[in-house]
Amino acid sequence: MKKILQPIEGDYYLSKEGYRVFTEQYHTRRGYCCESGCRHCPYGYNTKTNTQK
């Protein structure tokens, strides 16, 4: 079951373009990989091979 988490301090930062970038802390708290190729994915997802390390 997917969890909906309220962001807490340290869960994201804003890129220079103004986008919200989720940190490894957020992804770990969420507990699963969304398979979107996130910049700070702790699950090692590779979008080219569609696999996790």
Side-chain angles (χ1 to χ4, degrees):
M1 176 178 233
K2 294 184 178 184
K3 294 187 241 180
I4 299 174
L5 299 175
Q6 294 299 318
I8 60 173
E9 187 174 336
D11 275 356
Y12 69 92
Y13 61 90
L14 296 178
S15 69
K16 65 181 179 180
E17 296 85 10
Y19 294 105
R20 189 180 298 185
V21 179
F22 289 104
T23 62
E24 184 176 347
Q25 170 185 302
Y26 176 78
H27 293 295
T28 303
R29 277 189 339 111
R30 186 175 59 190
Y32 65 91
C33 179
C34 63
E35 299 182 351
S36 295
C38 299
R39 185 178 295 177
H40 301 290
C41 180
Y43 303 104
Y45 182 72
N46 184 328
T47 56
K48 293 179 182 167
T49 61
N50 197 27
T51 59
Q52 291 181 10
K53 293 180 185 173

